[in-house]
Amino acid sequence: MFLNCHSFHSLRYGTIPLEELVTEAAALGITAMALTDINTVTGIYDFYRACRSAGIKPLVGMEFRSGQQLRYIGLAKNAAGIAEMNRFLSAHNLQDTQVPDRAPYFEHVLVIYPMENVPEELRNNESIGVRPYQINKLVNKRWTGLLNRMVILHPVTVRSQKEFELHRVLRAIDANILLSQLDRDSHCALSEQLISEGRLLEMYAGHPQLIERTAEVVAACDFQFDFGVSRNKKCYTNSRKADMKLLATLTWQGVEKRYGKDHVQARQRAEKELKVIDELAFSGYFLITWDIIRYSNSMGFMHVGRGSGANSIVAYCLGITDVCPLELDLYFERFLNQNRKSPPDFDIDWSWKERDVILEYIFDRYGRDHVAFCGTNVEFKYRSIFREVGKVFGLPKEELDQLAKNPMARHDSNKVVAEVQEYGMMMEKYPNQRSMHSCGILISEEPITNFTNLELPPKGFPIVQFDMHVAEEIGFDKFDILSQRGLGHIQEAVKLVESNRGIKVDIRNTRAFKSDPLLNERLAQGRTIGCFYIESPAMRGLLRRLKCDNYRTLVAASSIIRPGVAQSGMMKEYVWRHNNPGKFEYFHQAFQDQLSETYGIMVYQEDVIKIALHYGGLQPADGDILRRSMSGKGRSKAAMQKVKENFFSSSQQMGHSLAETTEVYRQIESFAGYSFCKAHSASYAEESYQSLLLKVYHPMEFITAVINNSGGFYRMEVYVHEARMSGATVHPPCVNRSEMLATLDGNDIYLGLLHLQGLENSLVSQILSERQRNGPYSSLQDFIKRIHIGIESLQVLIFIGAFNFTGLGKNELLIKARLILINFRPEQRAPSLIDQPIKEYKLPQLQRSPFEDAFDEIELLGFPVSCSPFDLLVTRHRGDVMAKDLTSHHKKQVRMLAYLISRKHVPTKRGEMFFGTWIDVEGNYFDTAHFSDSLKTYPFEGGGCYLLLGTVEVDFHFPTVTIQKMKKLPFIADPRYSNSDTNQFAAHRNLREDVSMTHRAPYPSEQEIGLPRHRIKG
């Protein structure tokens, strides 16, 4: 009888979570109800399941609104009805038009109009909804003849007075107005709550026609959905048999190409995988992925196939991945096996510049009616909640900032803030808006609007209205089409090497260079700035601690750096055991049998599953639940709790002690959502080696590519420093030599015009296109004649040195620029046979400090190019110890002078601390640790050079300086402002640093974890 229920998927309107809506309905004895969220079907599948479990007949549909105005409600008679509504609303969403006042003719949908919007004539499938407060209107002559076309319309939106107030807050947030400005028509009525069916029927007892008509509507709606059916595009060819034939042919061709003709192990493995793929009807998925890769290769694009798909030799032989599963003993069952309840997906990366081309191909090749991005529900988060709620209560920006930044315990204690907190906490985890999944693509056998309506976000590709979890539950497997800048670095560097050096680099042949001694030496030294995944301070420190000089160790390092391994204490233990391989006992025989490669430490997702199965005796189905939890894909806490109970019960039956079992499960539990499968780590390691090859043998081309692809972990200044360290001469932007981004000519790197702060993109484009059409600029006068430019932008170019090619000093250029522009007329830009030179004036000798250029560069680029930051210091002192000598100063106090690169915040139980990364005057990197007691007295003061005093701690070959004291050192006064005390030190204050904040609870200490190195007794 409830034909118009809203859940919290009616964004910024409904307040009731889906499961709680159904639970409350069941408690009231409701036998049938309809979910009709506003312009969405996001929740219908979860609602359908929950109602079936609760013994309630589920009706599904939508409430169609145009802006704030309710137009009509659609209820699906069957699955075809949902498809009709989806197609109708999708057309309006994709064209950005409002739904009309009148519903179209639906063959499989029952339409209910509110009394405020009844058309002149009703079709057979259309009714009028009467709310309880409108019953008295039915005596009016206008309505008496329509009683047999009317139904009970008791909307459900809230559950209580408090939720009604929350609803009003949500409406104000949606309208971006103060709560006091919200008018009556913008929110629901307080009465829109669930009540018993008996009470509802009492309200309409005087109008049995309405009750009868409502019962007819409920009976006519019979939406059924089978969750056990695959909805994916089933075949790549015209049949499953043909698919398998093609897949086998391609696989055997790939086996021969990758392994040669007589590799018995490869052929046996491929045959085994093909059998499983056929049994699970997964050949079409492999072939569609292969087709996308084939197109990518035809365009000359690079890709990386990663994730558990790299466990498959079929994927390797099809070119989907470049990780050989035989080399690392990767087992196929981690990717695809009979026990998996959900099919896997391939994760494929492309350069961020090329991903959209791949997406366009997929949409065109497989049909825009059948392809869409997976959706995602963006929830209200802590910071945004207090900003949004505080705003509707009228709090000023300063207070909003304080509420958002500080924990609730530090908020002001007044009535308004208390209300903001109360409503904010009520809506935490509520969906706030629908957005696009970062990478998941669905390719459907049927038109995708059979299951959802589509929306068009700013990116331009249609998205479905449900998330990846619902997609999986209703039978969709997604294709993960990702982008990353690391591939952009590699691909552009390869092109630069060929154009700049005439050398073709076979970057895909990683097997040939993974054993290169020089690459492995640099890897072990942590000299990896700019290299994919291995350039962060933490990763470089780990590489040094492990003396990581080979592929297998790098694969392990790529995984143990992840939070799951780190927070459980297993990263530190792995490093210790790697450096002390004969000084520990295996925790249990199962650890020795299954994890000898990683010293008995669980490093990969597979390791966790192995221990769960072989130590804990769990069933494979439980192992799959663990896998999903570790992949961040699990949704059911109840399922994980059941696995835990099974683990302890089974371990007890196998004779393990409670203490031992508790420790093993602690390690298992710490991995949830934060670990890699081994194949994923291997994929990352392959790409890291590709980056490293280019950095070691073609450093200038590589660093130029890194700069042009928006860098990596660090700001551009760091990569410019790396370029200099590799022997390049770095020049500021030049109007004749620079492009939009950095260019490389021999050993000369010219920074791009786009790197200049304060120069509009349109002007940069004009400079470049005019130069391409009519050649280089011969002089300042020639430039001004050809380019529409004002004095402010021209000064920026002069100050950065973009006219150095003229041989004139900046001061002289500035005077000339003003003289030219004073008398310049637009008609002078017209071509003429003879250019009239400007009148020359004898100028006085214009003295300029050699450091003025550096301060210009700091102002316009953010860092100096013409000199080092150390050259600008007042002091000539450069420290007593250099970074390269730190390992020989273990436990000694050192005084160093260094330039701050980055710092990372780390929460600890003793208070906050930071790790700092610096370069010394010789250009080498080193790291520092700053604990809370030191930071109170000697805090960071922004970017710049510091004098540091601290004690060196060498941890397995890697030195860190624990800082006791530090002080930022002053630069010389800016000579450009010799007459202004205010501005002489402004540039120093504005020097940048990279700051990375960590929002998590402190990791437990090594003592708290107490990871055993011997078997636990008893």
Side-chain angles (χ1 to χ4, degrees):
M1 291 296 179
F2 294 86
L3 304 182
N4 185 207
C5 297
H6 305 108
S7 75
F8 64 5
H9 288 301
S10 291
L11 300 179
R12 301 184 180 188
Y13 192 94
T15 63
I16 313 175
L18 265 177
E19 288 187 3
E20 294 175 30
L21 175 66
V22 176
T23 301
E24 188 157 329
L28 288 168
I30 292 170
T31 57
M33 65 189 303
L35 182 69
T36 54
D37 278 317
I38 297 170
N39 292 345
T40 183
V41 293
T42 303
I44 64 170
Y45 300 104
D46 283 342
F47 174 78
Y48 178 88
R49 269 191 159 164
C51 282
R52 289 294 188 199
S53 297
I56 298 172
K57 179 177 181 179
L59 284 67
V60 296
M62 265 187 282
E63 179 175 300
F64 294 91
R65 288 194 176 222
S66 178
Q68 301 291 333
Q69 299 303 311
L70 168 61
R71 298 304 184 201
Y72 30 84
I73 296 155
L75 295 174
K77 293 164 69 175
N78 47 40
I82 282 291
E84 280 186 301
M85 287 187 280
N86 286 336
R87 281 193 288 275
F88 165 66
L89 188 56
S90 294
H92 288 285
N93 288 343
L94 299 181
Q95 295 165 22
D96 195 22
T97 57
Q98 298 286 350
V99 296
D101 292 354
R102 182 82 161 89
Y105 174 70
F106 290 124
E107 187 177 349
H108 302 280
V109 177
L110 300 178
V111 177
I112 302 171
Y113 288 94
M115 292 182 75
E116 299 81 7
N117 186 42
V118 178
E120 289 185 12
E121 289 188 26
L122 290 171
R123 301 186 183 108
N124 290 335
N125 66 321
E126 295 177 335
S127 304
I128 302 168
V130 181
R131 294 183 179 89
Y133 70 85
Q134 295 172 323
I135 293 174
N136 292 336
K137 292 184 178 183
L138 299 184
V139 296
N140 189 302
K141 276 194 292 185
R142 182 188 174 191
W143 304 114
T144 52
L146 294 170
L147 289 176
N148 64 337
R149 303 299 302 274
M150 292 182 173
V151 296
I152 297 170
L153 185 62
H154 178 72
V156 175
T157 304
V158 299
R159 289 177 289 184
S160 62
Q161 174 74 48
K162 182 58 68 177
E163 274 196 9
F164 174 67
E165 295 303 328
L166 174 63
H167 163 79
R168 294 182 70 250
V169 169
L170 288 168
R171 300 308 300 133
I173 289 173
D174 188 59
N176 195 25
I177 58 175
L178 295 174
L179 189 59
S180 58
Q181 296 173 318
L182 195 69
D183 61 54
R184 172 66 189 84
D185 293 335
S186 298
H187 60 78
C188 76
L190 175 59
S191 60
E192 293 187 17
Q193 302 181 39
L194 274 175
I195 56 178
S196 69
E197 285 184 349
R199 187 176 161 200
L200 182 66
L201 292 176
E202 282 178 18
M203 294 180 182
Y204 291 85
H207 297 280
Q209 305 100 314
L210 274 69
I211 296 173
E212 185 178 341
R213 176 81 175 179
T214 305
E216 289 172 359
V217 167
V218 171
C221 292
D222 188 27
F223 175 78
Q224 300 286 337
F225 193 83
D226 187 351
F227 288 89
V229 176
S230 171
R231 313 287 171 183
N232 305 304
K233 180 172 175 58
K234 291 183 171 57
C235 300
Y236 174 74
T237 61
N238 56 4
S239 71
R240 179 176 157 187
K241 185 177 180 181
D243 274 5
M244 272 311 302
K245 184 177 180 182
L246 176 58
L247 182 62
T249 300
L250 294 170
T251 300
W252 298 127
Q253 289 172 355
V255 168
E256 187 170 332
K257 180 181 176 183
R258 295 280 200 182
Y259 296 101
K261 290 185 177 181
D262 302 316
H263 199 294
V264 176
Q265 186 184 3
R267 297 189 72 83
Q268 288 175 343
R269 171 74 175 259
E271 194 170 331
K272 170 190 165 187
E273 288 191 17
L274 287 169
K275 185 173 182 293
V276 174
I277 292 167
D278 188 23
E279 289 171 354
L280 296 178
F282 218 60
S283 54
Y285 190 90
F286 269 83
L287 288 171
I288 291 171
T289 309
W290 163 78
D291 174 60
I292 296 167
I293 299 302
R294 178 177 62 170
Y295 172 76
S296 172
N297 291 339
S298 74
M299 297 294 290
F301 298 164
M302 277 189 67
H303 75 277
V304 170
R306 57 179 174 83
S308 62
N311 287 58
S312 167
I313 200 170
V314 172
Y316 180 58
C317 291
L318 264 58
I320 295 171
T321 77
D322 282 316
V323 174
C324 171
L326 301 183
E327 181 181 5
L328 290 175
D329 192 26
L330 303 176
Y331 67 107
F332 178 63
E333 289 74 14
R334 170 60 183 84
F335 176 61
L336 199 61
N337 65 72
Q338 298 283 4
N339 292 308
R340 286 192 66 151
K341 295 181 178 178
S342 60
D345 48 44
F346 287 112
D347 297 337
I348 315 289
D349 289 337
W350 276 271
S351 162
W352 62 280
K353 294 179 179 178
E354 293 158 355
R355 179 180 181 241
D356 281 0
V357 179
I358 298 298
L359 292 174
E360 288 288 355
Y361 173 76
I362 295 170
F363 275 83
D364 291 341
R365 170 72 173 80
Y366 296 99
R368 291 181 181 264
D369 289 340
H370 296 259
V371 183
F373 260 94
C374 203
T376 183
N377 288 314
V378 180
E379 297 173 339
F380 283 103
K381 298 293 196 317
Y382 184 90
R383 291 170 68 96
S384 66
I385 285 176
F386 289 123
R387 285 193 190 281
E388 296 278 18
V389 179
K391 198 189 303 179
V392 304
F393 277 91
L395 297 181
K397 182 181 183 302
E398 296 74 24
E399 281 194 64
L400 296 178
D401 291 341
Q402 290 303 313
L403 291 176
K405 290 176 183 175
N406 294 318
M408 286 175 59
R410 289 169 57 187
H411 289 180
D412 289 341
S413 55
N414 59 58
K415 184 180 177 183
V416 174
V417 170
E419 284 194 278
V420 170
Q421 291 175 337
E422 183 179 16
Y423 290 117
M425 289 301 94
M426 286 177 71
M427 60 199 267
E428 192 174 26
K429 300 296 184 183
Y430 273 33
N432 180 24
Q433 58 187 356
R434 282 184 293 276
S435 184
M436 183 184 342
H437 187 279
S438 59
C439 57
I441 297 283
L442 308 179
I443 303 179
S444 178
E445 178 72 18
E446 305 171 40
I448 208 155
T449 48
N450 284 3
F451 310 99
T452 175
N453 68 73
L454 301 174
E455 296 179 349
L456 193 65
K459 182 71 176 175
F461 293 104
I463 64 171
V464 301
Q465 290 190 322
F466 43 69
D467 63 21
M468 57 179 276
H469 301 295
V470 173
E472 184 180 295
E473 286 171 6
I474 67 175
F476 284 107
D477 310 319
K478 61 185 171 62
F479 295 77
D480 281 342
I481 308 297
L482 304 103
S483 68
Q484 50 147 286
R485 297 194 178 272
L487 280 173
H489 301 164
I490 294 168
Q491 189 153 299
E492 183 169 340
V494 169
K495 292 175 181 175
L496 281 173
V497 171
E498 186 168 1
S499 62
N500 198 45
R501 309 286 178 192
I503 300 170
K504 287 191 175 184
V505 179
D506 183 5
I507 200 67
R508 294 182 185 276
N509 188 15
T510 54
R511 182 170 290 193
F513 54 78
K514 281 189 296 195
S515 56
D516 184 308
L518 183 56
L519 262 62
N520 286 318
E521 178 187 330
R522 297 285 177 85
L523 188 64
Q525 294 168 346
R527 293 170 62 181
T528 53
I529 297 286
C531 295
F532 173 75
Y533 201 69
I534 54 173
E535 66 164 335
S536 71
M539 193 64 184
R540 289 185 297 106
L542 179 60
L543 295 175
R544 291 181 67 177
R545 288 182 177 96
L546 295 172
K547 279 194 174 177
C548 177
D549 61 357
N550 61 81
Y551 174 58
R552 282 180 176 271
T553 304
L554 180 57
V555 172
S558 299
S559 191
I560 64 174
I561 198 74
R562 297 284 292 165
V565 190
Q567 73 183 15
S568 66
M570 287 184 275
M571 180 176 78
K572 284 186 177 180
E573 185 64 15
Y574 182 92
V575 173
W576 188 89
R577 294 187 183 194
H578 180 79
N579 285 281
N580 299 279
K583 297 182 179 179
F584 67 90
E585 286 182 353
Y586 282 95
F587 193 61
H588 184 274
Q589 189 60 43
F591 284 73
Q592 184 168 0
D593 294 342
Q594 301 298 325
L595 308 181
S596 59
E597 183 186 345
T598 55
Y599 315 109
I601 300 291
M602 287 183 276
V603 169
Y604 311 110
Q605 290 177 3
E606 291 94 329
D607 297 343
V608 179
I609 296 169
K610 285 177 184 176
I611 293 304
L613 300 182
H614 296 281
Y615 171 88
L618 288 183
Q619 296 301 309
D622 282 344
D624 192 53
I625 293 171
L626 276 175
R627 174 196 61 78
R628 291 174 58 73
S629 172
M630 289 183 292
S631 304
K633 297 178 181 177
R635 288 211 294 175
S636 173
K637 291 182 180 178
M640 273 300 294
Q641 180 60 33
K642 186 67 176 172
V643 168
K644 182 175 182 178
E645 292 169 4
N646 291 346
F647 182 83
F648 276 87
S649 172
S650 178
S651 292
Q652 185 180 17
Q653 291 173 18
M654 295 178 74
H656 304 319
S657 71
L658 180 60
E660 187 180 76
T661 300
T662 301
E663 170 57 25
V664 173
Y665 196 79
R666 182 196 69 78
Q667 295 177 21
I668 287 174
E669 205 167 29
S670 69
F671 274 75
Y674 296 109
S675 65
F676 283 165
C677 68
K678 189 175 182 180
H680 191 98
S681 294
S683 302
Y684 271 19
E686 294 269 341
E687 189 175 344
S688 298
Y689 262 102
Q690 290 175 320
S691 298
L692 189 59
L693 175 81
L694 292 163
K695 179 177 173 64
V696 170
Y697 289 107
H698 309 286
M700 296 176 205
E701 288 80 7
F702 178 69
I703 290 298
T704 302
V706 171
I707 291 170
N708 287 347
N709 284 270
S710 302
F713 186 87
Y714 306 96
R715 62 187 181 274
M716 186 173 73
E717 177 185 7
V718 179
Y719 301 111
V720 169
H721 169 72
E722 282 291 298
R724 280 207 200 89
M725 294 292 285
S726 69
T729 302
V730 182
H731 303 271
C734 170
V735 295
N736 276 340
R737 302 295 295 274
S738 292
E739 298 292 340
M740 191 75 78
L741 298 173
T743 54
L744 178 64
D745 182 6
N747 292 343
D748 291 301
I749 295 176
Y750 287 85
L751 296 180
L753 291 166
L754 202 62
H755 296 141
L756 274 171
Q757 298 170 13
L759 209 62
E760 292 183 0
N761 291 0
S762 57
L763 178 59
V764 173
S765 298
Q766 185 191 160
I767 293 169
L768 297 176
S769 58
E770 168 59 26
R771 190 180 78 199
Q772 187 175 22
R773 282 194 303 270
N774 298 308
Y777 305 101
S778 58
S779 64
L780 179 65
Q781 182 183 5
D782 179 46
F783 180 84
I784 293 171
K785 180 178 178 181
R786 292 162 61 183
I787 299 297
H788 296 267
I789 192 170
I791 187 62
E792 292 85 1
S793 297
L794 190 57
Q795 284 181 168
V796 168
L797 290 168
I798 290 170
F799 283 134
I800 202 59
F803 294 98
N804 286 351
F805 69 91
T806 64
L808 301 175
K810 290 183 182 179
N811 294 344
E812 190 175 353
L813 284 166
L814 285 169
I815 293 173
K816 282 182 175 290
R818 292 182 179 277
L819 289 173
I820 295 169
L821 287 174
I822 284 171
N823 301 309
F824 191 80
R825 301 288 180 271
E827 58 268 21
Q828 292 176 261
R829 289 200 170 91
S832 60
L833 291 174
I834 302 173
D835 281 341
Q836 296 295 321
I838 64 166
K839 184 175 180 179
E840 295 289 341
Y841 296 90
K842 185 168 179 60
L843 300 173
Q845 188 71 27
L846 301 170
Q847 296 297 325
R848 184 174 174 84
S849 161
F851 293 120
E852 286 187 59
D853 287 346
F855 283 100
D856 284 340
E857 290 154 5
I858 291 171
E859 187 174 313
L860 297 172
L861 291 171
F863 56 91
V865 174
S866 54
C867 71
S868 158
F870 295 98
D871 298 330
L872 300 176
L873 288 170
V874 173
T875 180
R876 297 293 95 194
H877 179 67
R878 294 297 180 259
D880 301 332
V881 176
M882 294 294 116
K884 68 177 186 296
D885 301 319
L886 282 175
T887 51
S888 61
H889 287 73
H890 182 48
K891 296 294 183 184
K892 295 178 183 176
Q893 192 174 75
V894 295
R895 189 171 62 160
M896 305 180 73
L897 192 146
Y899 184 64
L900 180 59
I901 297 300
S902 66
R903 57 187 168 106
K904 179 177 175 59
H905 166 259
V906 179
T908 73
K909 294 188 176 178
R910 290 171 49 194
E912 68 173 8
M913 71 165 292
F914 280 90
F915 288 110
T917 299
W918 312 75
I919 56 170
D920 66 11
V921 71
E922 294 178 345
N924 296 315
Y925 299 86
F926 68 95
D927 292 86
T928 55
H930 305 252
F931 291 95
S932 55
D933 50 353
S934 165
L935 287 167
K936 284 175 186 173
T937 313
Y938 302 100
F940 286 93
E941 301 176 65
C945 295
Y946 287 70
L947 187 63
L948 307 169
L949 182 71
T951 304
V952 180
E953 302 285 342
V954 181
D955 179 32
F956 296 113
H957 333 293
F958 177 67
T960 302
V961 184
T962 301
I963 298 300
Q964 281 93 47
K965 297 180 181 180
M966 71 175 181
K967 185 65 179 174
K968 185 174 176 180
L969 299 178
F971 276 2
I972 59 172
D974 187 340
R976 303 173 306 163
Y977 299 105
S978 54
N979 298 321
S980 166
D981 293 338
T982 328
N983 293 322
Q984 280 188 329
F985 300 98
H988 195 189
R989 288 193 296 271
N990 294 330
L991 283 171
R992 289 183 56 195
E993 57 172 332
D994 294 327
V995 182
S996 175
M997 300 300 292
T998 307
H999 302 286
R1000 59 162 171 79
Y1003 285 165
S1005 67
E1006 200 169 349
Q1007 293 76 16
E1008 289 175 304
I1009 294 171
L1011 195 69
R1013 289 179 186 152
H1014 303 281
R1015 298 188 183 213
I1016 293 179
K1017 309 296 182 186

